[in-house]
Amino acid sequence: MTFSVPGLAVARGIAIGRAVLVASSRVDVAHYFVEPHQVQDEIERVRRGRNAVVEELQRLQADMPTDAPHELAALLDVHLMLLQDEALTGGVKHWITERLYNAEWALTTQLEVIARQFDEMEDEYLRERKADLEQVVERVLRYMKGVAGPVAPPASSQRRKTQQDLLLDDTVDVPLVLVAHDLSPADMLQFKRSVFAGFVTDVGGKTSHTAIVARSMDIPAVVGARAASQLVRQDDWVIIDGDAGVIIVDPSPIILAEYGFRQRQVELERERLARLRHTPAITMDGHKITLLANIEQPGDAAAAVLAGAVGVGLFRSEFLFMGKSGNMPGEDEQYRAYCEAIDGMKGLPVTIRTIDVGADKPLDKGHKDSYLNPALGLRAIRWSLADPAMFRTQLRAVLRAAAHGKVNLLFPMLAHTHEIQQTLAQVDLARAELDARGVPHGPVQLGAMIEVPAAALMVRTFLKYFDFLSIGTNDLIQYTLAIDRADEAVAHLYDPLHPAVLRLVADVIAEGARQGKEICVCGETAGDVTMTRLLLGLGLRSFSMHPAQILAVKQEVLRADTRKLAPWAQQVLEGEEPAALLAS
């Protein structure tokens, strides 16, 4: 019987195939106390398990196919970093030594402690790294217990052919879709890149590793589909609708034929979009639009160039600091990472955002363990200004990297004039420190994120101090509407088209145009093709998004006439129900 399971759309497109179920990766853990003389043996068991998994992941990296998406290598680096993080290993030793927990119990206890810290994070990307931590701990537990890995090879592709098979392909093996509770990057590397037509997981968000890899591979995926792995049976026919964020199980021949037609249309559309890669993004009335990429890692630069990005509008530097537990990355380490991204962009500009974390993050190094409201606490620029030495280390690294290419420097979550002044003073000090050492550095354009209402309302002041502004719509919407976008109870109220949000965005764009300074939108809104025409009508000329979204947005740009869109955009802006006008 046909039924559907809703989830989150994270990678667009249609996939049709037989389900390959991945068994749950949970390992049963015994809980018992050990004798004092057994403590060192228990610590050694954990150490051996961790080292074995480190070696396994390093082998996977060494044997990675040349055509594997670079995001997989980056995520394996994250897993290796988590495995060797002192917050994990030191905590496990504490539970064994002080509480006399057995090794497995100590490992899962420390996992729960760190997982709670991840749950409190405001940044969605970092919050999703909790799943990565859970997976590396699972791998260690499995090694310690001698349990096989959760991903088994798919059943034989010589499947029975049915009338539905013939609708798909009567000459080649049947396509497969992967259905799992969750997947680690190491699990995904056990299969060739072309084996699966799509992914479905019970858990995960738009920035989970499964979503990141699916977007990088440009294959349909739905995450957060709750009990999908329990409802779908091995070898069931499954349709993944990556546009609607739903999976359809055991579809009728009519539904299958309809989605088969849609799938072919999607493929044709992708082929048409691919032809736009080298086409300049110019509107019908002659306005040149800048389409930039958001990247997480230096290696992401290759995908940005391949997608036709004319630069990086947002390079998140947080990955360098994750899991360091007070051992912050040094100036040289950061410098090398920034240079790698600059080299990867082949002379195109790179905008590096200073670290956007806070006291609610596990990399925090000395603040109290609980916070009334982490979203409003010591995060982003506030965290950086609270530790000037650490901040200037990052600034010096960026300034040095700027000697190798065009670099812009972006500061997150500014809200006060004195914060702006303190930030610029730190930049001047960082330059002076490099000069004193005789170290070369390059010029940088300075910019600020507009992601709290106070900053949007102070746009004229901000433009007095900065060369450009970048609107972070994700946080701006959240703070304007007092909505935690990660809270399912109120997530439906998170509305990019709320009149108050649109007014703030429009005012920032308009003031930037009046002063002749660039305004960019770098949140999810920038890559949403349903918003492109409205943003162009409001006067936006610079967009930064995930590389996979660039060509679709470019197509909208090429079809747009801003002279006609401007009066319509004002009507949307002044309306009480912008969503209804947007659809008209």
Side-chain angles (χ1 to χ4, degrees), residues 189-498:
L189 269 179
Q190 294 182 29
F191 298 97
K192 293 180 181 178
R193 178 176 178 178
S194 59
V195 165
F196 293 107
F199 297 95
V200 178
T201 59
D202 296 342
V203 298
K206 291 192 174 184
T207 53
S208 65
H209 51 254
T210 307
I212 292 170
V213 172
R215 284 194 292 266
S216 73
M217 296 169 67
D218 198 20
I219 58 175
V222 172
V223 303
R226 302 298 177 87
S229 65
Q230 298 174 3
L231 296 172
V232 178
R233 298 169 301 176
Q234 193 79 21
D235 215 33
D236 271 348
W237 275 100
V238 173
I239 296 172
I240 300 177
D241 187 337
D243 298 307
V246 67
I247 66 171
I248 301 171
V249 184
D250 194 21
S252 67
I254 293 176
I255 294 175
L256 192 62
E258 179 181 344
Y259 270 92
F261 173 77
R262 287 180 55 184
Q263 187 181 46
R264 290 189 291 274
Q265 294 299 111
V266 168
E267 291 304 315
L268 289 172
E269 179 65 15
R270 285 184 178 179
E271 291 176 9
R272 285 194 292 268
L273 288 176
R275 298 177 194 144
L276 302 177
R277 183 170 292 117
H278 303 295
T279 302
I282 300 175
T283 64
M284 294 177 65
D285 56 326
H287 287 284
K288 184 177 180 180
I289 307 302
T290 303
L291 299 183
L292 306 165
N294 296 341
I295 65 173
E296 312 281 352
Q297 309 261 2
D300 295 345
V305 172
L306 188 62
V310 297
V312 169
L314 177 62
F315 176 20
R316 300 178 175 96
S317 61
E318 289 78 43
F319 83 97
L320 284 168
F321 296 78
M322 285 176 58
K324 296 294 185 179
S325 294
N327 185 22
M328 296 293 104
E331 181 181 323
D332 288 341
E333 179 183 349
Q334 293 188 57
Y335 165 71
R336 288 191 296 269
Y338 302 142
C339 285
E340 183 182 346
I342 293 166
D343 292 343
M345 289 307 296
K346 303 182 184 304
L348 296 171
V350 176
T351 298
I352 300 171
R353 184 180 69 185
T354 60
I355 182 172
D356 187 5
V357 296
D360 58 313
K361 308 298 190 293
L363 55 82
D364 183 75
K365 55 176 185 174
H367 297 281
K368 58 183 182 178
D369 294 327
S370 61
Y371 303 88
L372 294 177
N373 194 329
L376 305 179
L378 192 67
R379 57 165 296 203
I381 197 64
R382 302 168 184 174
W383 192 77
S384 294
L385 291 174
D387 191 343
M390 179 278 298
F391 189 30
R392 286 202 307 280
T393 297
Q394 181 173 33
L395 293 175
R396 289 194 303 270
V398 174
L399 291 169
R400 287 172 58 190
H404 301 279
K406 181 172 173 52
V407 172
N408 303 317
L409 187 53
L410 184 61
F411 303 103
M413 208 178 167
L414 288 160
H416 301 270
T417 303
H418 65 80
E419 286 179 331
I420 296 173
Q421 293 167 343
Q422 290 171 19
T423 297
L424 299 182
Q426 291 297 315
V427 175
D428 290 338
L429 280 173
R431 286 196 182 102
E433 289 169 344
L434 291 174
D435 288 337
R437 287 161 40 190
V439 176
H441 55 88
V444 294
Q445 295 280 298
L446 300 180
M449 294 284 291
I450 303 296
E451 47 194 342
V452 296
L457 294 169
M458 292 174 60
V459 62
R460 292 185 182 179
T461 299
F462 271 62
L463 286 171
K464 284 171 54 180
Y465 289 96
F466 292 105
D467 302 305
F468 68 97
L469 300 177
S470 192
I471 304 174
T473 53
N474 299 351
D475 273 335
L476 184 61
I477 295 166
Q478 176 170 255
Y479 288 125
T480 301
L481 303 181
I483 297 296
D484 182 352
R485 61 181 182 271
D487 185 342
E488 294 181 0
V490 295
H492 64 286
L493 298 174
Y494 181 85
D495 182 12
L497 289 170
H498 190 286

